[in-house]
Amino acid sequence: MIYKFLHEPGRFYLEDDTGATTAEITYAEGNTPDVWTVDHTFVAPELRGAGMAGQLLDRLAEEARVQHVKLKPVCAYAKAAFTRDAKYDDIKAE
């Protein structure tokens, strides 16, 4: 299933019918405005195992490319994803 995530400055997220956040990835501008630090990824237990975190990271990567910024993975999920998948090489901050 492909999700349409909500967006606000600093995060992409998904809410349930009650407005509770069920998945999110957060980021912050780094020391320079052309680098965003990926600092948190969360997926509710009932949504885990379906690729939700990957979709969140892909959506953030898409936005980073549009905005011409690099991503610095800090949270454990983003670090692992950037290490195992070359599709993020073009936007990885050194």
Side-chain angles (χ1 to χ4, degrees):
M1 174 176 232
I2 303 294
Y3 295 92
K4 182 170 171 66
F5 298 108
L6 301 169
H7 180 239
E8 63 186 32
R11 76 179 185 143
F12 285 92
Y13 62 104
L14 190 66
E15 292 180 341
D16 65 14
D17 294 338
T18 69
T21 300
T22 56
E24 75 176 342
I25 190 165
T26 62
Y27 60 95
E29 283 190 10
N31 293 334
T32 60
D34 60 341
V35 176
W36 294 343
T37 301
V38 184
D39 54 13
H40 174 71
T41 305
F42 164 76
V43 176
E46 64 272 14
L47 296 176
R48 292 180 187 160
M52 176 74 69
Q55 287 185 44
L56 282 163
L57 183 55
D58 286 347
R59 180 62 188 93
L60 177 55
E62 178 184 309
E63 186 67 18
R65 289 179 181 106
V66 168
Q67 299 297 328
H68 305 288
V69 299
K70 302 285 186 180
L71 297 178
K72 181 178 179 182
V74 174
C75 77
Y77 178 81
K79 281 183 179 180
F82 271 62
T83 299
R84 75 174 171 263
D85 201 328
K87 71 181 178 181
Y88 303 116
D89 288 354
D90 66 313
I91 55 167
K92 184 176 182 180
E94 297 302 323

